[in-house]
């Protein structure tokens, strides 16, 4: 079996690595904060001291880090992936990042006889743990086909959208949709409380009708328990909305509702300092 490398063992990354290991793959891991990889190493993963060291010992290297600047550093920085990657190997960036950065990575890989895919995911911590993620892939079609067995381990829906960067564009569409569901579920709960309704009964009713959506089903139960731990960090979601709106602006689109959602998350993250809460923490700014 292919030897795998994984860089970025946060909430979702660690869960995906466990699924790959359970499927029988040897996985070498790196994380900027080593302690966040300790449990995986104890479970059988191999630790590497740098992204370059991961690349040297792996056939396929996945990355799932926080921000585009982190992606840039992991691939192109000192001791980055490309400083240790040999021709013929494959990199797969699963970070939600800028389409233009995905193109930059793919261009460098192609020029050095390597392979690259951008493959951001949707499904949060639950999808990562249960291997039910949706994977949106951009890049060379032959490389995509070769990597499908790996994607099938971690997700239940995998789609290839075209050339490098298209996976990231598909993820932006996903985040635009989620922006609306997060503001909707937050204001639904506020209305429910003001009207004196039983929120559990409201959730059960809405979940069986036309208002049903993934965000409501997964995040409202957490809110009702005052659980704001991150399945997906609010600061990362704000980053995604900023990328989506930048791309929309470049295409001449005025996404009014998404811009409003971004403003609300800016209050949560930049003003209230709640960026380490999950996206469901939006209710805490109202």
């Amino acid at each position: 079996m292919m030897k795998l490398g994984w860089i970025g063992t946060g909430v979702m990354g660690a869960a995906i690595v466990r699924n790959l290991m359970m499927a029988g793959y040897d996985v070498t891991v790196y994380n900027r904060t080593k302690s966040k990889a300790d449990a995986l190493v104890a479970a059988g993963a191999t630790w590497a001291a740098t992204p370059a060291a991961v690349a040297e010992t792996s056939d396929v290297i996945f990355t799932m880090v926080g921000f585009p600047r982190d992606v840039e550093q992991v691939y192109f920085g000192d001791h980055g992936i490309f400083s240790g990657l040999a021709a013929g190997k494959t990199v797969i960036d699963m970070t939600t990042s800028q389409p233009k950065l995905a193109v930059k990575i793919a261009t460098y890989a192609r020029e050095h006889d390597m392979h690259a895919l951008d493959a951001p995911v949707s499904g949060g911590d639950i999808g990562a743990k249960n291997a039910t993620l949706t994977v949106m892939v951009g890049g060379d079609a032959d490389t995509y086909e070769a990597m499908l067995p790996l994607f099938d381990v971690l997700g239940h829906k995998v789609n290839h959208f075209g050339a490098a960067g298209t996976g990231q564009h598909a993820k932006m569409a996903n985040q635009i949709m989620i922006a609306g569901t997060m503001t909707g579920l937050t204001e639904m709960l506020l209305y429910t409380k003001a009207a004196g309704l039983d929120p559990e009964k409201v959730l059960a009713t809405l979940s069986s009708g036309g208002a049903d959506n993934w965000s409501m089903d997964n995040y409202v139960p957490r809110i009702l328990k005052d659980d704001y731990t991150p399945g997906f960090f609010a600061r990362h979601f704000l980053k995604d909305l900023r990328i989506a709106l930048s791309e929309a602006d470049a295409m001449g689109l005025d996404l009014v509702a998404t811009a409003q959602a971004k403003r609300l998350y800016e209050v949560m993250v930049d003003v209230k300092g709640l960026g380490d809460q999950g996206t469901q923490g939006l209710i805490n700014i109202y």
Side-chain angles (χ1 to χ4, degrees):
M1 299 178 75
M2 292 179 287
K3 292 184 177 181
L4 307 182
W6 191 280
I7 296 171
T9 57
V11 173
M12 293 179 63
I16 295 171
V17 170
R18 289 186 181 277
N19 287 330
L20 290 169
M21 292 169 61
M22 285 192 292
Y25 290 98
D26 291 330
V27 185
T28 298
V29 298
Y30 168 82
N31 194 74
R32 187 166 51 190
T33 303
K34 184 178 182 297
S35 61
K36 292 184 178 181
D38 286 348
L40 292 173
V41 173
T46 302
W47 169 256
T50 65
V54 175
E56 288 168 0
T57 60
S58 306
D59 301 309
V60 180
I61 302 91
F62 291 88
T63 51
M64 183 178 272
V65 294
F67 292 83
R69 62 177 178 269
D70 301 317
V71 176
E72 183 94 29
Q73 182 66 26
V74 159
Y75 279 91
F76 296 100
D78 294 338
H79 309 294
I81 291 170
F82 282 138
S83 68
L85 196 66
K89 293 187 176 183
T90 300
V91 294
I92 302 174
D93 185 28
M94 306 194 85
T95 313
T96 299
S97 184
Q98 297 164 320
K100 65 182 180 182
L101 182 51
V103 172
K104 179 179 178 180
I105 292 169
T107 299
Y108 182 96
R110 183 175 62 252
E111 291 174 348
H112 293 81
D113 297 319
M114 304 162 182
H115 310 286
L117 298 173
D118 49 289
V121 299
S122 182
D125 59 332
I126 297 170
K129 291 174 184 175
N130 295 336
T132 56
L133 293 168
T134 296
V135 189
M136 294 154 268
V137 187
D140 175 73
D142 289 340
T143 304
Y144 165 74
E145 292 291 340
M147 295 298 111
L148 266 178
L150 295 176
F151 291 136
D152 287 341
V153 171
L154 56 94
H156 74 140
K157 184 69 173 179
V158 186
N159 279 320
H160 180 237
F161 287 90
T166 57
Q168 295 293 353
H169 279 300
K171 182 60 185 288
M172 291 304 110
N174 183 86
Q175 301 305 73
I176 290 166
M177 184 70 242
I178 287 179
T181 63
M182 292 307 299
T183 56
L185 73 86
T186 299
E187 295 188 359
M188 174 274 291
L189 282 173
L190 294 172
Y191 187 95
T192 295
K193 181 178 180 181
L197 302 177
D198 179 347
E200 295 280 2
K201 188 175 292 186
V202 170
L203 175 61
T205 301
L206 299 187
S207 295
S208 65
D212 189 32
N213 65 83
W214 189 96
S215 296
M216 183 178 70
D217 293 342
N218 286 279
Y219 287 133
V220 169
R222 298 189 191 191
I223 293 171
L224 296 181
K225 296 176 183 177
D226 289 325
D227 177 5
Y228 302 106
T229 55
F232 189 68
F233 285 105
R235 55 187 168 88
H236 290 165
F237 189 54
L238 176 57
K239 172 261 298 183
D240 296 351
L241 295 180
R242 285 169 170 161
I243 294 172
L245 287 167
S246 176
E247 294 295 328
D249 185 64
M251 292 184 280
L253 300 176
D254 184 15
L255 304 184
V256 178
T258 305
Q260 176 70 348
K262 178 183 76 77
R263 187 188 70 80
L264 293 170
Y265 274 99
E266 284 174 338
V267 173
M268 180 182 175
V269 175
D270 297 337
V271 178
K272 298 296 186 180
L274 301 177
D276 285 336
Q277 289 190 357
T279 51
Q280 73 274 24
L282 184 66
I283 199 168
N284 291 322
I285 72 166
Y286 276 77

